Amino acid sequence: MNEFLDLSSRVNEAIKNREPIVALESTIISHGMPYPTNVQTAKMLEKTVEDNGAVPATIAVINGRIKIGLNEEELEYMATKKGILKLSRMDLPYAVAKGYDGATTVAATMICAKLAGIKVFATGGVGGVHRGVVDTFDVSADLVELSKTPVIVVSAGVKSILDISKTLEMLETLGVTVVGYKTDDFPSFYSQKSGSKLYMRADDPKTVAQIFKAKSALGLEGGMLVANPIDKSKEIPHEVIDKTINMALEEANRTGIRGKDVTPFLLARIVEYVPKALEANVELVKSNAVLAAMISKSI
Ligand code: PSU
Ligand code: MN
């Protein structure tokens, strides 16, 4: 095991006994949701994974240690502490070397999951190609990570704060296997559809696991993105959310918000203007945690 990793005793036991494990990220806790919904959601996700027969492992960096599996006190810490860094691939070594606290994005969570031998990870939305990319060059490192690190990421697609069709083009270029779960249409986080078609589909967890196994048997590096649409009853129509997203994007541009601050800023604004977006967000990550647990049992 890597010298910078601390496994919780439950995760350690699960690895020894070859039990199914599902990784969960911490940026959603520290930078993606307001308190106290963030910590409540983090605890609920752990329980959901457990109730579905797998062992949850929320991942974060605390005092420079990569924690695989957080206890309740650590989840509370990640949800409340000020100044927690947002870590992607580029800054993970920095936080570890300096002994800082950091929440892991999809990219960094994949890297840490791989170090611990965890193959399945549930999140809400992955990062992608930002609207206005031609001026800003803002493309999330999550996409590149999916092309490098062998972890199955279960998400509800990407939010329309991003340019969804460019995000799919980029994933194709990078050779990332993007599979729709019981859908042929890439979901757009709050909505079941985005209007962008998918080329690959799975209708059960076993098929997802088989595709992943085939990928590694072929010697192809990288992970897989499973796009699991939000439940129809929880969907928020495009019209309701689009105006808010446009306002938030305009404000980000006008006030010079750049780089890794863009995504947390937009997420906060959406929840401020459309409170039921938070409820939808909680529901969709829960559904992703259920699916990830099922996949982890087939791997
Ligand atoms: N999208 C969401 N909620 C989130 C994120 C994205 O709907 O919490 C977080 C995830 O941790 C993701 C990160 O990996 O934002 C992407 O940040 P960036 O765009 O700076 O790469
Ligand atoms: Mn970015």
Side-chain angles (χ1 to χ4, degrees), residues 164-176:
I164 294 179
S165 61
K166 287 195 182 68
T167 299
L168 287 169
E169 289 293 348
M170 190 77 210
L171 285 163
E172 182 184 346
T173 303
L174 290 166
V176 177

Side-chain angles (χ1 to χ4, degrees), residues 4 55 63 66 92 98 123 130-131 170 174-175 178-179 198-199 211 220 234 239 242 251 280:
F4 296 112
V55 175
N63 287 328
I66 299 176
L92 187 61
K98 301 272 280 184
T123 184
H130 283 256
R131 298 196 201 172
M170 190 77 210
L174 290 166
V178 183
V179 176
L198 285 175
Y199 300 100
I211 300 168
L220 299 174
K234 305 285 170 16
E239 314 84 76
D242 272 2
E251 187 184 350

Side-chain angles (χ1 to χ4, degrees), residues 182-292:
K182 297 185 177 171
T183 184
D184 298 309
D185 200 302
F186 191 65
S188 58
F189 202 83
Y190 297 118
S191 307
Q192 288 201 325
K193 296 186 172 180
S194 63
S196 288
K197 288 281 157 236
L198 285 175
Y199 300 100
M200 292 166 274
R201 168 184 178 127
D203 288 277
D204 52 72
K206 193 160 166 248
T207 306
V208 174
Q210 281 168 340
I211 300 168
F212 186 70
K213 285 179 191 162
K215 183 163 184 170
S216 65
L218 290 167
L220 299 174
E221 71 283 16
M224 225 173 109
L225 183 61
V226 178
N228 181 34
I230 187 170
D231 192 84
K232 188 81 192 154
S233 65
K234 305 285 170 16
E235 218 181 21
I236 303 180
H238 287 300
E239 314 84 76
V240 176
I241 212 98
D242 272 2
K243 219 168 49 191
T244 302
I245 288 174
N246 287 329
M247 264 166 55
L249 283 166
E250 191 275 324
E251 187 184 350
N253 277 334
R254 183 165 37 82
T255 57
I257 289 168
R258 292 280 179 276
K260 59 167 69 203
D261 298 329
V262 172
T263 300
F265 173 83
L266 296 173
L267 299 179
R269 276 290 182 271
I270 292 171
V271 168
E272 237 171 84
Y273 292 124
V274 188
K276 77 171 180 194
L278 188 55
E279 224 176 286
N281 197 343
V282 172
E283 283 305 322
L284 65 84
V285 233
K286 183 177 181 186
S287 143
N288 294 341
V290 173
L291 177 56

